[in-house]
Amino acid sequence: MIPHPATQQPLPDETFTLTPDASIGSTDSAVRTIAERLAAQLRRSTGFGLPVRTGAGTITLSTDGADSLGTEGYELRADSSGVTITGATAEGVFRGVTTLRQLLPAQIEAAGVQDGPWEIAGTTISDAPRYGYRGVMLDVTRHFFTVDQVKRFIELVSRYKINRLHLHLTDDQGWRIQVDSWPRLTEYGGSLQVGGGAGGAYTKADFAEIVRYAGEHYITVVPEIDTPGHTNAALASYPELTADGVAPELYTGTKVGFSSLASGKERTYEFLADVFREVAEQTSGDLVHLGGDEAHVTPHEDYLTFVPKAAQLVVDQGKRVMGWHEIADAPLPAGTIVQYWGTEDEKAQALAVKAVEQGATLVLSPANRAYLDMKYDEDTPLGLQWAGLVSVEQSYDWNPATLIPGVPATAIDGVEAPLWTETLDDLAKVEYMVFPRLPGIAELGWSPESALDWKRYRDRLAGQGPRWEALGVNYHRSAEIDWA
Ligand code: ACM
């Protein structure tokens, strides 16, 4: 199972078997839809009727758990008489359901009816996460991904108890979220993508559907509007945002660090006030990510005044600020999350320390460990390698609590695995880079330090292969793993 639960004990003489007469019970309305969705999934591969009822069933979902389980914790018991999953919240129950699905045989994930038997070795589990932030990022700018593609991505990552989806929505190559007060951002700025093909953008209805579907999987969307660099698509759409008032061409290459909003113009901040307001309105979570990375053509003095002004515009919308670690050079508002994307360079580490000194917390995305767009090895046909090759072991075998010298463990909110899509123009390619590395990052975010061990993890990861085959996931069959 991935992530490894906090505690698990076998019940040696007990086996649960899901049989045709089974039912799914929910003790309260808060978990009724979770029960209905579980039933729908299990019906596909078992062919059983699996009625959903109020009260106890063969599989019972309940929010009667102790508050000490926390928002995401749950207890699961599987024995000869049935399965119970108990949380203190519906979210905890949902995390427990992801565990139940992994306890069942891999064929449970098949799209059509399979033979079974559908057995689970008797067990009790008591589980809760190590970190509250366990994210994945999808770059929908370099290549655009449709709502349906993003939904499949959400469904696949939710299986590993990921709870944040960071969407990188704006960059040099495209602006992908509708802003009614600045319509050319998507109409023109979203029209292309890397390589020059047609891009795309999410309407407000599209984005609402992504937020809703993520929410159904207890995943909060973190929208990123990258500023002041990575803004060519905005500058091309509205020349008033450039320093010289001249619109650049749309850009479909893959260089970084050449664009900047005009940090000295009042119009820039009027623009950002509108953008952050409309983006905040489309967001159910408490974070808006303002980017801040690689602003190489923004004079540094200007950058240091830009970041607090932009951050204040996010705070004005009642949201907390998130940004890449470069923003820590500037004063940050209370509650800011700084996203570390350094490798082992001292400059990045110093900025992480500076972030913590000003009261910010950190989400860790070390590029040489957690960047899902790095090649696995020299032979990987996709991806980049500026941060090195990131094998499955390299991505798993590190400790968030001790990664950055001088940063205390208490300052770490969690981990996030970013996927940049310069080389990835379809979902099969995305899946190839995400699987099998994402489950390892998810485990670093969820499981207790004592459960983390590369050799034993390898064996558990091998067990995911048949599940991905049943789901049609285009995973990389890395030679590091003895796939079953
Ligand atoms: C980044 O990779 N530029 C955050």
Side-chain angles (χ1 to χ4, degrees), residues 230 293-294 324 341 371 386 420:
H230 290 277
D293 58 320
E294 298 177 309
W324 300 106
W341 64 282
Y371 267 35
W386 61 262
W420 303 98

Side-chain angles (χ1 to χ4, degrees), residues 137 142 168 171 224 226 230 256 289 291-294 324-326 339-341 365 367 371 373 386 418 420 422:
M137 188 203 85
R142 273 52 179 270
H168 183 74
D171 212 306
E224 180 186 351
D226 205 347
H230 290 277
V256 298
H289 198 304
D293 58 320
E294 298 177 309
W324 300 106
H325 67 236
E326 287 96 321
Q339 184 168 12
Y340 179 79
W341 64 282
S365 304
Y371 267 35
D373 60 312
W386 61 262
W420 303 98
E422 285 93 334

Side-chain angles (χ1 to χ4, degrees), residues 15-309:
T15 301
F16 170 72
T17 308
L18 188 69
T19 53
D21 59 347
S23 60
I24 301 192
S26 65
T27 60
D28 47 285
S29 55
V31 287
R32 175 88 190 188
T33 50
I34 299 175
E36 278 165 358
R37 285 177 33 238
L38 173 64
Q41 287 153 355
L42 299 182
R43 281 178 199 131
R44 279 197 312 238
S45 50
T46 62
F48 302 162
L50 299 174
V52 177
R53 51 174 63 126
T54 302
T58 315
I59 297 170
T60 304
L61 310 185
S62 159
T63 50
D64 295 340
D67 288 345
S68 58
L69 287 169
T71 311
E72 295 192 275
Y74 67 92
E75 286 172 337
L76 183 153
R77 179 183 172 95
D79 62 27
S80 305
S81 65
V83 175
T84 55
I85 298 173
T86 309
T89 68
E91 183 170 356
V93 171
F94 178 81
R95 304 290 174 228
V97 167
T98 66
T99 298
L100 170 63
R101 292 174 69 177
Q102 288 197 34
L103 289 170
L104 285 160
Q107 288 310 310
I108 201 73
E109 303 302 350
V113 176
Q114 310 288 309
D115 285 342
W118 306 107
E119 290 179 353
I120 296 175
T123 188
T124 61
I125 291 171
S126 181
D127 203 7
R130 180 180 184 190
Y131 294 115
Y133 190 118
R134 305 177 308 281
V136 64
M137 188 203 85
L138 182 63
D139 167 13
V140 296
T141 69
R142 273 52 179 270
H143 286 99
F144 182 66
F145 293 88
T146 64
V147 172
D148 282 345
Q149 289 173 321
V150 174
K151 284 166 75 171
R152 173 168 164 96
F153 183 82
I154 288 168
E155 201 283 321
L156 291 174
V157 303
S158 76
R159 292 161 178 271
Y160 300 98
K161 301 184 169 64
I162 291 291
N163 67 357
R164 296 285 185 280
L165 172 66
H166 170 182
L167 287 174
H168 183 74
L169 291 164
T170 68
D171 212 306
D172 293 319
Q173 296 85 350
W175 187 286
R176 309 297 183 204
I177 184 168
Q178 188 181 335
V179 177
D180 291 335
S181 50
W182 297 74
R184 267 176 66 80
L185 290 170
T186 48
E187 286 167 10
Y188 182 66
S191 58
L192 300 180
Q193 60 180 359
V194 164
Y202 306 120
T203 65
K204 289 198 168 171
D206 289 340
F207 202 75
E209 176 58 10
I210 291 172
V211 168
R212 184 202 66 77
Y213 188 80
E216 195 173 280
H217 293 77
Y218 293 88
I219 290 176
T220 303
V221 173
V222 179
E224 180 186 351
I225 304 299
D226 205 347
T227 67
H230 290 277
T231 41
N232 190 77
L235 305 176
S237 306
Y238 289 99
E240 64 206 274
L241 302 174
T242 66
D244 60 5
V246 178
E249 302 276 295
L250 291 174
Y251 182 70
T252 60
T254 60
K255 292 201 193 77
V256 298
F258 62 86
S259 58
S260 181
L261 293 168
S263 49
K265 280 189 174 172
E266 211 34 53
R267 192 72 181 132
T268 293
Y269 301 97
E270 290 165 9
F271 165 75
L272 288 177
D274 287 337
V275 168
F276 288 141
R277 184 185 69 253
E278 291 199 37
V279 170
E281 282 166 5
Q282 297 183 62
T283 307
S284 59
D286 67 340
L287 291 167
V288 170
H289 198 304
L290 53 68
D293 58 320
E294 298 177 309
H296 300 324
V297 297
T298 314
H300 197 60
E301 284 310 306
D302 295 358
Y303 181 86
L304 296 180
T305 55
F306 172 88
V307 169
K309 286 175 84 169

Side-chain angles (χ1 to χ4, degrees), residues 56 94 118 122 128 269 299 316 323 366 427 429 478:
F94 178 81
W118 306 107
Y269 301 97
D316 288 347
L427 198 61
K429 292 176 185 170
S478 163

